[in-house]
Amino acid sequence: MLKPRSSATPEQAFMKLKHYCGYQERCHSEVKEKLYSLGLCKSDVEQLISRLIEEGYLNEERFAQQFAGGYFRQKKWGVNKIVYALRQKKLSEYTIKKGLKEIDREEYAVVAEKLIRTKWTALKDEQYMNREAKTMTYLQQKGYEPALVQSILKKIRSESTR
């Protein structure tokens, strides 16, 4: 038999959430989900979120910057995939734009070119059209813009015809 889930008091929840937000940057939707999982009512959730923001434990701009920068540097995600993931976390377009400023555009282009060259080389036994299509698909799945991928592929093609 399942025993009823006990709910935490708002003060207990606040202490847990301080640790939860201190361990890693969080967005509002993650914190709300956590608070509801602790059995709190809507008014308590809203009050605790306000308190976490006031005390500096919760900041969506900081979260967006760390998320965008981290996923780009660690997982080599493109802007499109990062934007999609941030929208899934219910961040505003303004906050998403602020987060994307964390990605250096020159470094972004260098990483994209390196990924394209690596994939292009790995597919050297493929027919030319398949090779190009598979490279394009791979980079779009990683979130890179089609125009950027096309321009780098064009550069690679011109290098190989010399």
Side-chain angles (χ1 to χ4, degrees), residues 49-135:
I49 285 178
S50 295
R51 193 168 158 199
L52 288 165
I53 293 168
E54 286 169 17
E55 295 189 20
Y57 289 101
L58 193 57
N59 182 322
E60 283 201 329
E61 280 185 27
R62 203 171 54 209
F63 169 80
Q65 289 170 336
Q66 287 204 337
F67 186 95
Y71 275 77
F72 168 65
R73 284 187 289 282
Q74 298 296 314
K75 296 187 176 200
K76 309 291 184 238
W77 280 13
V79 166
N80 292 343
K81 193 166 184 174
I82 291 169
V83 167
Y84 180 78
L86 289 172
R87 283 183 182 146
Q88 290 292 103
K89 296 196 175 283
K90 300 176 178 82
L91 268 69
S92 70
E93 291 301 313
Y94 170 80
T95 306
I96 292 171
K97 280 189 177 92
K98 288 281 257 189
L100 292 177
K101 287 182 180 174
E102 194 66 20
I103 299 172
D104 178 58
R105 295 311 287 182
E106 288 176 27
E107 185 185 352
Y108 184 75
V110 168
V111 168
E113 185 168 342
K114 187 177 179 199
L115 286 169
I116 290 169
R117 288 185 183 278
T118 303
K119 188 68 174 177
W120 187 258
T121 305
L123 296 169
K124 65 181 180 279
D125 296 333
E126 289 281 339
Q127 286 183 342
Y128 183 78
M129 292 303 280
N130 280 351
R131 188 179 191 188
E132 196 168 301
K134 286 182 178 183
T135 302

